[in-house]
Amino acid sequence: MQSTAQGWLVLNLTNSELLLGVVTAVASAPTVLFSLYAGALADRADKRRIIMRANAAALVLALLLAILTHTQTITYPAVLVIAFALGTTNAFEIPTRQSFFVDLVGKGDLPNAIALNSAQFNATRIVGPAIAGWLIGTAGTAACFYANAASYVFVLAGLRAMRLPAFHRPARREGMLETIREGLAYIRSDRLVRTLVWLIAAFSVLGFPYVMLMPVFARDILKVGAHGLGWLLAATGAGALAAGIALAAGGERVPRGRILLGASLGFCAAVFAFAGSRSFPLSMMLLALVGFMMVLNNATVNALLQATVPNHLRGRVMSVYVFMFIGTAPLGALQAGALSRALAAPTALQIGAALLAVIVIVVAWRVPEMARAR
């Protein structure tokens, strides 16, 4: 809900696709600055405590955005500051949470846990944007931010209620910088792991900016307004939910590498087709396919990495995954925003999808072990 409302708020404050891209870039920038340190910290500190502190900070930031919007004192620079602060909390929370799964379920059930987490996460993407579109039209944008702030109370209560073994800090004598270097050296030494993290970076730069441009498609191309924006994002969430359930139910029957390559090309084709659509129903169907392929891709990369990585390096490797996924998003947001301004949003998406498809084909050719990876 907050993501949908923030995009709508920024577009109405600035009427600029480029400045909308700048907000996305600013929100992702802290990942570049802090995620590697956060991954090293996750391998050395109490993961639950890190996650709880990050979520408490996110609650305060969501409430601040709600109050400023409600009192009509919100400005574009204020949105940038809040987006950067929230990005900082995410830089610590996301890699820690990703490496926390194995502590909850064990390595044997980890692939299914990742798939079910994707299903749960994307189920909210069906409900949240639809409610956000309705709330924006009836109660105003601030209502979405208030609802998001309230939701963190339940997140913190759930984390507090978990029954976990007592945390014992690992005995380490090296400093944080050496800890980070150890994780990077492992990634460089393994071609499959190295390829996976670079591939997710390519998706972040060339493929995933379609989400950032969704308010532009809703308002200016499909002309369906805030309510239609909610339904477009909900369609993406529906496809993503279906993918998470499919992976949890039958993902072990096909090598994960094949799923990854097929989903990657399917994602490119679906984004390219969506960009050319001028029909609202057809766009919703194509976005459901985009969401399906996106989660097949993301969850499979995550599962392949975590199945390969030793436990003592998990936080650091997942921090590089998050760095490539979110930290390169500023480049994607800026290139998509600039191309949209120069050539129009549909053309920007089609160029990105075509380039991404070429990269996937090259990876399949140059790294044959990818298709065999399980």
Side-chain angles (χ1 to χ4, degrees):
M1 289 172 63
Q2 172 144 332
S3 177
T4 304
Q6 181 175 286
W8 193 254
L9 172 67
V10 170
L11 195 60
N12 281 285
L13 283 174
T14 67
N15 200 37
S16 170
E17 297 94 333
L18 180 59
L19 292 180
L20 181 61
V22 170
V23 172
T24 304
V26 167
S28 303
T31 303
V32 178
L33 300 174
F34 306 124
S35 65
L36 297 182
Y37 176 84
L41 184 65
D43 282 335
R44 300 170 64 141
D46 186 337
K47 294 182 179 68
R48 175 166 59 174
R49 182 172 294 178
I50 295 171
I51 296 169
M52 289 188 69
R53 288 177 177 176
N55 277 279
L59 185 159
V60 173
L61 292 167
L63 185 59
L64 176 61
L65 184 58
I67 293 170
L68 290 176
T69 304
H70 184 207
T71 58
Q72 298 183 357
T73 55
I74 190 66
T75 62
Y76 181 70
V79 174
L80 290 178
V81 171
I82 293 171
F84 183 85
L86 187 58
T88 301
T89 69
N90 288 336
F92 284 87
E93 197 268 353
I94 295 174
T96 307
R97 175 163 42 85
Q98 292 291 330
S99 61
F100 190 45
F101 293 158
V102 72
D103 295 342
L104 299 178
V105 303
K107 198 164 185 177
D109 290 323
L110 188 58
N112 275 37
I114 292 169
L116 288 169
N117 179 71
S118 294
Q120 172 272 326
F121 174 78
N122 286 289
T124 67
R125 293 177 63 191
I126 301 172
V127 178
I131 296 175
W134 174 77
L135 270 182
I136 291 169
T138 56
T141 308
C144 297
F145 303 141
Y146 279 122
N148 186 48
S151 74
Y152 284 107
V153 175
F154 300 97
V155 174
L156 291 168
L159 286 164
R160 182 70 179 170
M162 289 178 179
R163 299 290 181 261
L164 298 172
F167 170 72
H168 299 287
R169 187 179 299 276
R172 291 183 181 273
R173 285 179 292 182
E174 70 270 21
M176 290 294 288
L177 186 58
E178 185 58 34
T179 302
I180 293 170
R181 285 175 179 165
E182 183 185 7
L184 295 175
Y186 169 79
I187 293 171
R188 284 196 301 268
S189 70
D190 190 300
R191 187 165 81 153
L192 178 60
V193 171
R194 187 171 68 247
T195 302
L196 287 170
V197 295
W198 280 112
L199 187 60
I200 205 67
F203 268 82
S204 183
V205 172
L206 298 172
F208 297 153
Y210 83 90
V211 178
M212 182 269 293
L213 291 173
M214 204 61 62
V216 180
F217 277 84
R219 192 188 69 173
D220 301 334
I221 296 170
L222 298 172
K223 301 186 186 304
V224 292
H227 185 71
L229 172 62
W231 284 109
L232 289 172
L233 294 174
T236 310
L241 172 61
I245 294 172
L247 278 175
E252 297 292 327
R253 299 172 189 172
V254 181
R256 293 194 192 102
R258 292 185 186 177
I259 294 174
L260 173 59
L261 293 173
S264 298
L265 290 174
F267 173 85
C268 296
V271 169
F272 193 95
F274 165 74
S277 171
R278 298 297 178 270
S279 163
F280 181 58
L282 177 60
S283 294
M284 288 186 64
M285 287 188 287
L286 288 169
L287 281 175
L289 183 60
V290 168
F292 187 89
M293 295 300 177
M294 180 178 68
V295 166
L296 284 187
N297 174 282
N298 294 356
T300 303
V301 170
N302 193 324
L304 281 172
L305 282 175
Q306 297 219 42
T308 306
V309 175
N311 284 339
H312 71 284
L313 293 169
R314 191 177 307 279
R316 281 162 282 178
V317 172
M318 294 315 296
S319 74
V320 174
Y321 165 81
V322 173
F323 179 93
M324 292 299 195
F325 192 2
I326 300 176
T328 57
L331 298 177
L334 291 174
Q335 68 84 14
L339 279 178
S340 296
R341 191 175 185 87
L343 303 174
T347 304
L349 286 191
Q350 289 182 329
I351 290 173
L355 290 174
L356 184 57
V358 171
I359 292 172
V360 172
I361 292 168
V362 171
V363 165
W365 171 49
R366 295 293 299 273
V367 189
E369 62 265 35
M370 177 77 75
R372 300 190 297 269
R374 289 188 169 274

